[in-house]
Amino acid sequence: MTSTDAPAAIAPAPPVLAEVVRSGFTEGHHRGSLVLLAADGSVERTLGDPDAPVFPRSSNKPMQAAAILRAGLELSGERLALAAASHSGEPFHLELVAKMLAEHGLSAADLRTPPDLPLDPVAAEAYLAAGNVRERITMNCSGKHAAMLAVCVRNGWDTASYLDPAHPLQLLVGQVVAEAAGEPVAAVGTDGCGAPLMAIGLTGLARAFRSFVLAEPGSAERRVADAMRAHPEYVAGTRRPDTWLMTEVPGTLSKMGAEAVQAVALADGRALAFKIDDGSVRALGPVLARALELLGVDAPVVSRIGRAPLLGGAVEVGDIRATF
């Protein structure tokens, strides 16, 4: 760089969404961006840059499930909820994934998910204690992949390449994501499960969830939202915040994603989406609880979700708390 060259502009750091307080001392911070939408869809509050594209990770799963329905696969109830799930790998999850595959002449060998252990630590301990090893069906996205394979069988599409971004199913997923978000897909990457991953802004993600809960009954989007809300334990698991929230606040649609992404829509159209910049899920609960409070949600489950204690010598000595 010569003496006349101007220095490159440095983007400002995202605001602090949560702080880590141990023994009364603040030892760390989690930064990120957040958006809250009012019931009419207008932006009520923002922190950071919620219009910058992010990979929503598994928060995109409702849109992926809607694309599967639009492609002609008949799914409902627990099966449709599992198609939009990041399941915990509990026995009832794995049993239904196996059934979904068998119903379409498929098996776990057809899955292209990476072999994994159950997502839920309690389920993982029981799984290993029983002498099991990492399997494709145990990976938390296996329900989505089973539904993707099933719609390929239904339509005569190639099953070996169902994760190719140019596959007819994945092209349709991209269309659904863009329509629901009200903005074009900014980038396409590869998710942890191997499926194509579409980048949108957090505002677009909140709009997408809002559009699902307000969609016309019988539409693909509303069918996905209704199935997830009716069977939240299949979307997540028995020990997961998404399950607690959809169970205890009627009409709520909630889905977290890896790298600390969260999207929620309430029955009346209020919605939120955020991403913690460093991807730390330990801050997700406190940030989600505070965002729900700002949307006016008053329910005991909010405090339960927001609790994130820090331990010292097996004794609680602090916590992670929202800062906004």
Side-chain angles (χ1 to χ4, degrees):
M1 184 175 74
T2 68
S3 59
T4 58
D5 289 334
I10 299 175
V16 173
L17 298 185
E19 60 184 5
V20 183
V21 181
R22 180 181 295 274
S23 304
F25 179 84
T26 301
E27 65 172 348
H29 302 88
H30 294 289
R31 298 175 178 272
S33 295
L34 173 147
V35 63
L36 304 179
L37 300 183
D40 64 1
S42 61
V43 175
E44 188 169 275
R45 182 168 182 177
T46 65
L47 291 169
D49 185 3
D51 294 327
V54 301
F55 281 135
R57 304 297 297 270
S58 285
S59 294
N60 269 353
K61 281 179 177 169
M63 286 83 88
Q64 291 169 319
I68 290 167
L69 292 182
R70 284 203 201 176
L73 186 66
E74 281 303 318
L75 280 180
S76 61
E78 294 92 337
R79 285 166 172 75
L80 183 51
L82 195 57
S86 300
H87 66 71
S88 290
E90 296 172 73
F92 67 93
H93 295 126
L94 305 184
E95 289 166 8
L96 186 54
V97 174
K99 287 180 182 178
M100 289 170 62
L101 289 166
E103 287 164 357
H104 294 87
L106 298 160
S107 73
D110 294 298
L111 295 168
R112 294 292 180 267
T113 46
D116 207 350
L117 296 174
L119 187 62
D120 178 82
V122 175
E125 287 184 9
Y127 183 82
L128 290 170
N132 295 306
V133 297
R134 295 174 185 269
E135 298 284 355
R136 294 184 184 277
I137 198 170
T138 318
M139 199 267 173
N140 72 88
C141 299
S142 63
K144 176 183 79 175
H145 283 245
M148 286 182 169
L149 282 165
V151 78
C152 289
V153 171
R154 189 259 181 206
N155 289 335
W157 293 336
D158 183 53
T159 56
S161 63
Y162 76 98
L163 298 183
D164 189 322
H167 191 281
L169 173 60
Q170 303 304 339
L171 293 175
L172 180 57
V173 169
Q175 293 174 23
V176 173
V177 170
E179 288 174 13
E183 63 185 65
V185 170
V188 178
T190 304
D191 210 340
C193 66
L197 177 61
M198 286 71 180
I200 53 176
L202 292 169
T203 304
L205 181 61
R207 287 196 189 108
F209 271 60
R210 179 178 182 275
S211 73
F212 271 53
V213 300
L214 299 179
E216 287 295 319
S219 65
E221 292 76 12
R222 182 62 174 271
R223 288 169 61 194
V224 171
D226 288 350
M228 292 175 67
R229 294 181 291 185
H231 306 283
E233 70 281 6
Y234 280 89
V235 176
T238 55
R239 291 173 284 271
R240 301 270 296 284
D242 282 332
T243 302
W244 305 338
L245 185 56
M246 288 190 281
T247 299
E248 298 182 38
V249 182
T252 298
L253 181 66
S254 179
K255 185 73 191 73
M256 71 164 290
E259 294 298 315
V261 177
Q262 181 75 52
V264 175
L266 304 177
D268 65 358
R270 287 172 290 164
L272 68 88
F274 65 83
K275 173 172 170 39
I276 297 167
D277 209 46
D278 63 11
S280 178
V281 295
R282 71 175 183 169
L284 193 148
V287 173
L288 174 57
R290 179 57 180 155
L292 290 168
E293 289 174 354
L294 291 175
L295 280 185
V297 178
D298 182 13
V301 70
V302 175
S303 296
R304 183 183 184 191
I305 288 171
R307 222 178 111 62
L310 296 177
L311 303 181
V315 176
E316 186 173 334
V317 296
D319 62 359
I320 301 169
R321 60 190 68 165
T323 57
F324 58 95

